[in-house]
Amino acid sequence: MASASSSGQQGQDESAMTPAQRLRAQHTAVQSHQPTVEEVPDEDDLKHPPPSTRFKPEEPPNAETMSAKAAGKQKATTGSTGVGNGKPKSSAALNPTSEVDFPTLAARPSANPSAATWGNRPAAVSQGFVNGSPQPGSNVSSRPSTPGQSSNYEPTGKAAPTNRRPMKLPGFEFSDSITLSPSQIRSPSDMKKTVKQILDESNRKWKTKVTSRTGTNGQRVFEAQGPSHESVRDVLKSVVAEVGAKQSIKVPIPASTRGHVVGKGGATIKGITQRSGAKIHMPPNQPATSDPNNDDDDTMIHVEIEGNAVTAALAEREIRNIVGERTASVNTRLKNIPPEFFPHLAGAHNARIRALEDGRDVRISMPEYETWQHPPPISDNGNGLLTLSPREGYHIHLSGDRAAANQVQEELEREVSRLRRDLALEQLEIERPRHKFILGERGGSLHDFLEETGCSIIMPPDSEDTEVLTVIGPPDQLESAKNKAYDLASSMQVQHVDIAKQHATSTSHSSDLTRYLQQRLALQQFEEAHDAFVDIPSGLQESGKWRVWSRDGKRAMKARSEITNLVGAHPPARFRNLDIHPYHQHQLKSQARLIRDEYGVHALFAEPNAEEAPLLLVFEGTDEAGGYQFPCSKPTPTEIAQFKQALNEAADHIYSQPGIRDPVLAGNVETPKRFHEKVKRYVHRQGSQNRTPVQFLSIKPKAGADHLDVAFRGRSEDVANFEKDLLDFIAEQVNDETQRDYVTSCDLPQKYASQLIGKGGEKINQIRDDYDVEIQLHDGKVEIKGPPAKAGDAKRHIMNKIKTLEDTIDITIRVPAQFHGDLIGPKGSNTNKLQNRYKVGVKFPRAASTPDDQMIANGGSEPGGADHRRRSAQNPDEIIIHGSKKGVEDAKKELMDLYEYVSERSHTENVSVARDQVSRLVGIGGREVNKIREQTKARIHVPRLEDDADALGKAIIEIRGRKSEVEEARRLLEARSKEMDESIVRSLDVDLKHFPAIVGRNGENLHQMIIDAGGSGDASERARLIKVPKTDAPPDQRAIRLDGNKVVVDNLANAIEALVDRREKSITQTLNVPRNQYRTLVGTGGSERKKLEKEFGVSLNVPRESDSQASGVTLNGLPEDVGKAAERIQSMLRKQEGETVDVPAYLHALLAEPGDGNLAKSLRRELRVTTDYPKQSAPRSDTLRPIANGATTSSLPLITDDTHVSEGADVNIQHSWDVAAPSAKDEDGSTISWVLKGEPDNVAKAKERVLEAIKDAEETHIGNLGLADSGMYGLIIGPQGSTINRIRKQTGCKIDVPQQGSTGGAVVIRGGKEGIEQAKEMILETVNAGPRRRR
């Protein structure tokens, strides 16, 4: 019973039919007879019709001539609900394909499903439809029309004519009927009950009146009366379910719509089954066969539906609705078009594509084709046509309306035919390195080339050793296209650099340097800085041959020079290769930062899967403030020594790592094909969670075998362990296969389903993977299938999760919205702490926070679930806490405590200041405003300068905190602002020569002038008050700028002007002062110089004694002041008398020995007496015999040396003791003159001390105490030198102790014979007591 449109199509040529028409024909061919429904109106209803609906139903053609009673008996039109204008109160004739008349035998759907989201256009589901069916009261057609198909898509049965109608019984106001053909009714032998018994039981169950009668052609009519529409429909469906014959129909659908019919996780097909009551069998998903030149979705598959006449019709209708919505669009690929034509088909900048799409519901996707693939394009074959072939993977993709796509395809194919006739091909050769400047990242675009020349250009692939380019276009435009290619290629200038020549002694250095500079992105920085391109050929043998390209020849030469400098600054001494296996390098990566920080060495590790590659170390030194800067100057020998030392230390550190030199073995395990996915997941977990120290190299199918090969490497023991673990895992899977039929289940309250499943099934999938089981959720149950042990573990996990969810509660607290930001904290810091501490979720209204502050608790509800509904209904002042009862209560208490704290400190006031004062109020780095914050504890928000000001052009500073804090901060800010309002700016033009005098040494003069003027001593305040330009500033920027309080500025300006005036009148006088008297004029810490300058108001310049170029001591000031200061200086120098003391030459070195105890230093420090003597060489070996710095092994303790045992000690100290008596006087009696200068009285005292020191030195003995354990030196020194100072004080000896841990030295004791012996004993006693204390 096909529709008229379908009948008309049968005569058409099938090849000319559209896919939708062919689908319609197939549906018609397999369509079976459908039951019809007869309407039986009620006479009373005709007298009292209900109000008309908002849509007027379509009237039948003979409506004008029919009576009201006859019109009421007409067959209902498609989509009618029986509630129309002039219709009786009883329902229209039942339609078994209507969801309204027969919603389902199962549970009724509760809500409208969402519109489908797949396909080229949205599904045509109008308002008033439920699952594609009209809702009650809707006159919308039950299915949208598709091209080539009429709107009455579903076949409907034909109502049997009848003049009988059931008698109306009291209380049975509603009536319906359904007619079944003989083929749709079971034979009596197949029925367990007779028809009468079925009708009687149905009447008792549904409280209805159902009768049966025979219609025309053997049809059976079932008529029902009841108190409601629902009871009538339900009883008729119940009767049909028992008397209707089971039937099976096949519905052909395109293979591409299979997924839409099934739905995600089978949801759609399950819904159809539940609503219709029919069983639906979907064929397996198999690869579809298609036209090799045109991929479309027309391959048909057959869906089998089992049920009775009603249920099968309902299921068929829903499936056809889904298919109809999808087959209106197409998704196809054109494979028979050579990609060389793509640029010409697309047009410059895709202009032709846009023209084809304009006004059509179609999308065209055409890949770019700039590099030819095998075979290369060739010229025509003699017939005037280009010989070009389609390429695998290069297809034109069309999607959208099928008719529009067909039109576009036809136009494209016609255009291809024209292009074959009209286009020509020519080839040209250009030097291969210049290809990149024609097309690509460093050249132009193919669209620009096509737009300018009308031709396309095709480059050879990198894998081909050819310089030939192909130009395709109109014959008369090929020459201009070739010229354009030549122009682009020749636009770059090149300079060659051979980096290997600069360091020819190292054969591998050029490759190491190249690898380092590329990895550190140095070349990228170089290219950006010089607008150049560095081309490095591949291959180590050529890595030293670089090319530098630039469009400017001068820039290219400059860039080459800079590269030469960069290479020269990285000699081989800066690099070191360590022969460490890549596996161990992989383990060392975590220490890269430590190596960089500790040794200044950057480590370049091998690629993760490399078989052999050294670890490259490069010395970089310490990072500068702005990051590491690559050196560009040749290192000095001292720097090279530093490189080597740091590299050696870094290498020692690396080699000291445990197992770094252990041999590395490779392993592999073959796994059966059926375990591929499980093995991949297992290996991924092992690697990502660091469960094994082995390194995974690859996981891929083995060539020519039905196995998966897992390759890995590591230390032999680790490889063996992992291989065993993996084999055990596979054996476990083999054993599990025999037990996977075990099924267990547990109850799942529906309200917890979304939390258990997780977003996109993430959580339930994680449980499946963790326990290696299958899990299905349906009808409030969780069904777990797998090995008993694993299934049991998964069940316990799920039940624990459910128990946790049952313990979960939600509470809502109300907090004014203005405090939400403080409760959330910066980027959610406060709330994140709550969530982590109490394992809860805290939800604020969305308007309360920015995206960075959104906080979703771990394990919370998924978007779209209950949590989504809570948030969408959340009031602006509500905060929702979700979690366990205890956690929620604790979080609530802490959150309310925080709210109380915040609200107490929420007093807010604003301060309005001039916009130009904001930066000064903030200070450098926020220094000024931070001072106020620290002083008042208030929170101060200063607006950005780019923020809008108020109506008066003022900036608003917000202060928050306790009322007292806010008031104090406001007072300080307003006082500072008022001070700025009273500020003035003055400029002083001062000669540059006066700047040093104004500033003074280390800014002392300027600082004092500011203090005297009433200014602040704070450095930042000084910097803001006065700005003294540099001496090399331009002439128009040499004025001194004063900015501050008017009184302070005026005072400071007056002081500067007075200083300048004085200096203008000043003179400079040079004094003849011996160099050895310079220190007398300076004094300790410059005290004498400062005293003279302050007393006489002059500047005294005393050069360094070592400065041989200095002209002498100078005085600068007013003439009378300079004269007085000069007289005072001459008086000071006259008092500096000198006296000579002859010191025996053999004692000079001892008395003049450097150190804190130096005699000359003591005299200068204590008596202000200087000591001058000739520079003398180190003491002779026969004068002093210390062993502390350079002892031989013979001086160290031997097993035969003395062993010291202190009283009460149980530890023996092995040592050696060597005493050197004072050496005899020189035979010639030679002396060295010491000249003492200073105040006469002090000189006399100094002379006595020198003579006394000579006498003591003549009697000095030197003892060398050698200890076997250098670690005891620390015991001799003691905490902060307390022990050795005590021994020195008690014995009067000078004691020198080698550094802790040094070897080959001894403790040197100088003093009287008895004193050094006493000191030795005290040292040995100290050392002996040390071990006992440590125990």
Side-chain angles (χ1 to χ4, degrees), residues 43-62:
E43 294 292 343
D44 291 338
D45 292 339
L46 295 177
K47 298 178 181 179
H48 307 285
S52 61
T53 61
R54 54 180 300 190
F55 295 109
K56 184 178 180 180
E58 183 179 353
E59 296 182 358
N62 58 348

Side-chain angles (χ1 to χ4, degrees), residues 73 137 293 302 564 767 853 860 915 933 1103 1110 1185 1191 1254 1261 1326:
K73 295 184 178 182
N293 296 326
H302 290 81
T564 303
I767 299 175
D853 296 329
R915 288 175 63 83
R933 287 171 176 148
R1185 300 194 312 177
I1254 292 173
H1261 289 67
T1326 300

Side-chain angles (χ1 to χ4, degrees), residues 1056-1076:
I1056 293 174
E1057 290 172 347
L1059 175 62
V1060 171
D1061 184 62
R1062 287 187 58 201
R1063 287 184 58 80
E1064 292 290 347
K1065 300 176 182 178
S1066 297
I1067 63 171
T1068 299
Q1069 181 178 341
T1070 301
L1071 305 180
N1072 186 16
V1073 179
R1075 290 185 181 278
N1076 56 10

